[in-house]
Amino acid sequence: MADDSTDLFGALFGPASGSVKPGNSGPTIAVPVLVPMPAPGPYSYGVPEDMVVEPGSIVQVPLGPRQVIGVVWDKNDGPPVDPKKLRPITKTFDCPPLREEMRRFIDWVASYTLSPPGLVAKMALRAPAAFDPEPMVEGLRLTEARPERLTPARERVIELAGEGHGWTRSGLAHAAGVSTSVVEGLAKQGVFETVFLPAPPVVAEPDPEYSPARLEGPQRQAASEILEDVRKGGFAVSLIDGVTGSGKTEVYFEAVAETLRQGKQVLILLPEIALTAAFLDRFQDRFGSRPAEWHSDVSPRMRERVWRQAVTGEVRVVAGARSALFLPFDNLGLIIVDEEHDPAYKQEDRVFYNARDMAVVRARIGDFPIVLVSATPSVESQVNGNSGRYNTIHLHTRFGDAAMPDLHLVDMRRHPPERGGFLSPVLLRGIAKTIEKGEQALLFLNRRGYAPLTLCRVCGHRFQCPQCSSWLVEHRFRSQLQCHQCGYSEPTPDHCPECGTFDHLAACGPGVERIAEEVEKHFPEARTIVLSSDLMGVKRLRLELEAIVKGEADIVIGTQLVAKGHNFPLITLVGIVDADLGLANGDPRAAERTFQLLSQVTGRAGRTGRKSHGLLQTYQPQHPVMQAIVSGDAEAFYDREIIEREKAMLPPFGRLASIIVSADSRAEAETHARALRASAPQAPGIMLLGPAEAPLALIRGRHRFRLLVHGKRNSDMQSFLRAMITNGPKERGSIHVQTDIDPQSFL
């Protein structure tokens, strides 16, 4: 695996070592088996004489009183053992083994993130029912017999089935354009015999020649650069930096098409499930079929089939969320990371990893190209582009005749809203003009619910989560107060629980529901849709998005869901209700995140060529982020942000790691955190800060202290952390220690 003593990209661009395979001497051998549990490494098992395994074989082994799934691994760092003293492997699955590059990837991720390799392997083995082949399905095959009466419908069926292939009943009926009763009738007369067929593919094979895009000059040039990497083969990273609506998707579709022509598989990562519906339609328009999907909304049965057909090579393209990165493809030849800047690529549970960065690692280990795509790239990707590690491809103009929206700041000190409101007169006038023209307005506020805080006007009591150090958010549509950290909720009361006063509870600040209420007051005849993840499931969200595209709404009010790559052809006005919201915290990425989010939201306007506008309500019109957005000078913003990061030695010029110690009591968490700090080794170029209470000091009833490790770019962060954790106190009782390399959230 790559040397984890370097930084991520230093390791990526250095040499990679091979793996070690177990020997095979005597009737029974010992092999290492990695099981999907938090063990520090593989366990040794014996191989029965009548069994053949190899590195990557998926097997079943005894673990205590249970039988568990495991993978035969490449090496075991423990001492040699006598195979006859080991518990034997009980079963091998009829499934292709995990390829060497996949095993190396699992080892690399485990080493870099300081995670047990078994937990990383578990992400690659998420469909146990798929380890054995899919059962055969009943089908029909044409015999020599013919029906007594030959109708045109029957004739079409017989003619189609005459090629000698087996058909499913529904497939044959659909292909012939008849009802299944016609096929059933022929089968009863002996025209067909029953045969068993392999399970059909989950999706049809995409055709790279189905409907090639007509690319314009900049898009054609961008596509040619990426195609050169795909045709040449080998590891290469391209960054498509293009404004919203510039045709980035059509450009990377050309790379997908070329990879398919080469007979290889493609993985397309998307940050949100909400994006997949529109993306699947665009993919089908280009390739004549949809890619296989992989995300949490896919049924378990379908996930099993996608997993199996990815490992056998039957599925050629998978589009999915970050977990799709751990699918064990048979012949992966290209990865696309769409919206590469999106924080949703960071997993912060069990194994903490950034799917964008780990996708680059996987491409490096597999020695194939990867394409990162964004209208607002991350600072890390910008720096890698500037240094030449990535090939940056710029698309500065929108596709066709579409122009970027005219953006203006609304100084809320000069144009305040009316008492009790949150929309300035300037924005209200803009909405009215937009509706009059039969166009759509989008209002964006990155805050769910009705109000972020509810308090009593009489005694000042504030409604707080009993399990977390956060306020309860009022959700008036559901008549609930809810914690957005742990999910705790309670009915909205009609009196103060502290002083008992009725009708004196005040909602403080706006959420999207409150903005919807204000819009209803000013525009009672307008058709309004509120888009928020807590108001709808994925299916309803897709229906609402389709309704917006069809023009069945006048005003759309949404959270960050609306910022993620949607194409709303009728939206010509975007209003940012609180542009300053993301700047009001101590996150070192606050300016970058705010710039990205607001740029993405305003980019929803005018994508089909209509004259469009963006109005950003702000109390800080001179802030560099606001000035960069309205001026359209993204380069100046990135230059400034990169200089600030370099001065502070923040990523990508320095390294960060966060250690969260949690426990049932505050004293336990603090004591363990202080003991961890005392066990830290002396290391040049590494500074340890804390422990201090985490910004969210209490979540789900657990008290949290944080240690922050700050190091130079070439510092040996992993070795430092391993030594500190190894030398420090062990986790006992309710104590739990989480290590996050390259943290994205500082809460």
Side-chain angles (χ1 to χ4, degrees):
M1 68 187 76
D3 179 8
D4 58 28
S5 65
T6 63
D7 69 291
L8 172 65
F9 293 102
L12 281 180
F13 288 84
S17 60
S19 60
V20 180
K21 297 184 179 180
N24 189 352
S25 58
T28 303
I29 62 170
V31 295
V33 176
L34 193 61
V35 294
M37 59 171 288
Y43 296 127
S44 294
Y45 285 89
V47 181
E49 292 184 15
D50 59 347
M51 184 181 291
V52 177
V53 298
E54 61 179 300
S57 294
I58 299 177
V59 297
Q60 180 178 287
V61 294
L63 187 67
R66 300 177 296 138
Q67 293 286 328
V68 300
I69 304 298
V71 185
V72 177
W73 218 239
D74 298 272
K75 61 181 179 179
N76 193 340
D77 296 328
V81 292
D82 182 355
K84 296 180 180 179
K85 296 181 179 180
L86 296 175
R87 301 178 76 180
I89 295 173
T90 53
K91 177 182 178 180
T92 60
F93 289 93
D94 185 7
C95 178
L98 297 191
R99 295 169 62 92
E100 181 191 6
E101 63 186 55
M102 188 64 190
R103 303 195 302 274
R104 286 174 54 200
F105 176 62
I106 290 171
D107 276 337
W108 205 103
V109 173
S111 179
Y112 186 82
T113 63
L114 301 185
S115 302
L119 288 186
V120 182
K122 186 177 182 179
M123 295 191 291
L125 301 173
R126 288 193 174 184
F131 298 158
D132 282 321
E134 291 187 71
M136 305 285 275
V137 296
E138 186 177 299
L140 300 172
R141 186 168 56 202
L142 189 67
T143 65
E144 297 297 327
R146 289 298 177 266
E148 299 173 0
R149 187 169 59 89
L150 194 62
T151 65
R154 288 178 169 182
E155 191 172 357
R156 288 200 304 273
V157 172
I158 293 173
E159 182 180 355
L160 191 64
E163 299 174 1
H165 304 300
W167 291 82
T168 62
R169 284 172 167 79
S170 60
L172 180 56
H174 177 74
V178 302
S179 66
T180 53
S181 61
V182 175
V183 178
E184 292 287 357
L186 290 171
K188 287 179 181 179
Q189 295 187 43
V191 177
F192 289 103
E193 62 180 351
T194 299
V195 294
F196 287 92
L197 308 171
V202 292
V203 289
E205 184 169 335
D207 179 5
E209 316 304 333
Y210 180 77
S211 180
R214 297 176 181 175
L215 302 179
E216 297 178 350
Q219 290 78 25
R220 193 181 306 113
Q221 177 60 33
S224 67
E225 291 189 46
I226 297 176
L227 286 174
E228 184 179 350
D229 288 336
V230 174
R231 288 166 180 155
K232 184 171 56 177
F235 174 64
V237 187
S238 297
L239 171 64
I240 302 179
D241 175 7
V243 298
T244 56
S246 59
K248 298 184 292 295
T249 304
E250 285 70 21
V251 168
Y252 73 67
F253 274 174
E254 295 309 299
V256 172
E258 182 60 29
T259 306
L260 292 174
R261 293 186 191 103
Q262 295 176 1
K264 299 178 181 178
Q265 294 168 291
V266 179
L267 170 62
I268 303 174
L269 293 179
L270 302 168
E272 293 283 352
I273 300 172
L275 286 178
T276 55
F279 174 83
L280 296 176
D281 290 340
R282 294 179 72 177
F283 189 94
Q284 186 168 23
D285 290 343
R286 171 62 180 86
F287 295 99
S289 67
R290 294 191 166 203
E293 297 180 61
W294 182 272
H295 50 73
S296 59
D297 198 45
V298 175
S299 68
R301 174 63 182 141
M302 181 56 71
R303 287 167 69 90
E304 291 162 6
R305 298 191 66 205
V306 171
W307 191 97
R308 177 77 190 191
Q309 294 183 22
V311 77
T312 59
E314 294 170 82
V315 162
R316 301 292 304 283
V317 182
V318 173
R322 61 178 180 248
S323 59
L325 183 61
F326 291 89
L327 280 171
F329 290 91
D330 172 58
N331 186 19
L332 188 58
L334 176 69
I335 296 179
I336 307 290
V337 184
D338 208 345
E339 307 288 354
E340 65 88 27
H341 67 280
D342 200 293
Y345 283 123
K346 177 72 176 188
Q347 174 163 300
E348 296 177 326
D349 179 41
R350 295 172 72 85
V351 178
F352 286 60
Y353 70 93
N354 189 313
R356 176 199 64 212
D357 296 343
M358 295 304 105
V360 177
V361 173
R362 184 157 190 193
R364 172 67 180 87
I365 291 174
D367 197 30
F368 55 76
I370 178 171
V371 180
L372 310 180
V373 186
S374 178
T376 53
S378 63
V379 169
E380 288 85 349
S381 294
Q382 285 280 4
V383 170
N384 280 307
N386 294 345
S387 67
R389 284 175 165 166
Y390 295 175
N391 173 34
T392 304
I393 300 167
H394 297 282
L395 292 172
H396 296 298
T397 58
R398 283 186 160 178
F399 187 78
D401 298 325
M404 295 297 291
D406 294 329
L407 303 180
H408 303 278
L409 299 177
V410 178
D411 189 340
M412 297 295 280
R413 299 167 301 180
R414 296 178 56 194
H415 305 284
E418 64 181 39
R419 185 176 178 83
F422 300 93
L423 303 178
S424 73
V426 177
L427 182 53
L428 290 172
R429 287 195 297 270
I431 296 171
K433 291 179 181 178
T434 302
I435 296 175
E436 287 173 9
K437 292 187 291 184
E439 297 169 348
Q440 294 173 329
L442 167 64
L443 300 182
F444 169 78
L445 176 63
N446 198 23
R447 187 181 275 155
R448 292 177 287 159
Y450 183 84
L453 169 66
T454 302
L455 56 78
C456 175
R457 292 194 189 97
V458 176
C459 69
H461 173 74
R462 300 184 175 197
F463 287 83
Q464 184 171 345
C465 177
Q467 305 177 93
C468 304
S469 51
S470 59
W471 309 120
L472 293 178
V473 176
E474 180 181 355
H475 289 260
R476 191 159 293 188
F477 290 0
R478 300 202 306 260
S479 300
Q480 282 186 335
L481 298 176
Q482 186 178 37
C483 174
H484 286 178
Q485 299 300 324
C486 69
Y488 168 86
S489 64
E490 60 184 53
T492 304
D494 55 4
H495 65 280
C496 175
E498 191 72 24
C499 67
T501 306
F502 282 81
D503 300 326
H504 277 75
L505 299 181
C508 301
V512 286
E513 294 178 20
R514 195 167 192 177
I515 298 303
E517 183 180 86
E518 186 173 351
V519 165
E520 176 70 22
K521 171 187 170 185
H522 289 284
F523 307 100
E525 303 299 322
R527 299 167 298 172
T528 303
I529 286 181
V530 179
L531 295 180
S532 179
S533 59
D534 59 329
L535 293 177
M536 59 193 71
V538 173
K539 290 183 179 178
R540 183 183 164 190
L541 174 60
R542 288 176 177 172
L543 291 174
E544 299 281 33
L545 293 173
E546 289 175 9
I548 296 169
V549 172
K550 294 175 182 176
E552 297 172 2
D554 301 309
I555 303 173
V556 181
I557 304 166
T559 61
Q560 63 178 347
L561 273 178
V562 301
K564 299 179 182 292
H566 305 295
N567 185 19
F568 301 132
L570 296 178
I571 286 182
T572 58
L573 173 68
V574 171
I576 310 296
V577 176
D578 187 354
D580 307 323
L581 183 61
L583 300 173
N585 60 55
D587 191 329
R589 291 188 174 89
E592 177 191 3
R593 292 272 169 79
T594 300
F595 175 80
Q596 290 167 338
L597 187 57
L598 299 187
S599 297
Q600 293 280 344
V601 174
T602 54
R604 298 311 104 201
R607 294 169 68 94
T608 55
R610 298 174 185 237
K611 181 70 174 175
S612 60
H613 303 274
L615 298 174
L616 289 76
Q617 295 189 159
T618 176
Y619 288 92
Q620 307 176 67
Q622 299 305 316
H623 194 286
V625 171
M626 303 304 157
Q627 292 297 315
I629 291 173
V630 295
S631 68
D633 193 352
E635 187 175 342
F637 169 77
Y638 280 111
D639 288 345
R640 178 183 176 279
E641 192 68 13
I642 288 170
I643 290 171
E644 293 297 322
R645 295 272 187 98
E646 192 168 14
K647 285 180 182 176
M649 284 203 315
L650 290 172
F653 303 100
R655 304 193 65 198
L656 288 175
S658 173
I659 301 174
I660 296 289
V661 180
S662 62
D664 290 343
S665 73
R666 186 183 186 280
E668 281 183 293
E670 183 175 14
T671 300
H672 192 93
R674 292 192 179 281
L676 264 183
R677 181 189 173 97
S679 67
Q682 293 295 320
I686 294 180
M687 177 171 56
L688 183 59
L689 306 173
E693 278 193 317
L696 286 173
L698 184 69
I699 294 183
R700 296 181 177 87
R702 294 183 61 81
H703 297 263
R704 306 165 77 242
F705 276 76
R706 184 180 70 182
L707 292 151
L708 193 62
V709 186
H710 184 198
K712 294 181 178 179
R713 187 177 182 278
N714 60 352
S715 58
D716 192 350
M717 184 74 76
Q718 276 81 359
S719 293
F720 175 86
L721 291 168
R722 280 198 195 94
M724 181 171 69
I725 293 171
T726 301
N727 299 334
K730 306 306 175 189
E731 297 180 36
R732 292 187 175 87
S734 68
I735 298 289
H736 181 58
V737 178
Q738 287 182 334
T739 305
D740 184 1
I741 306 292
D742 306 327
Q744 296 291 306
S745 171
F746 289 82
L747 298 179

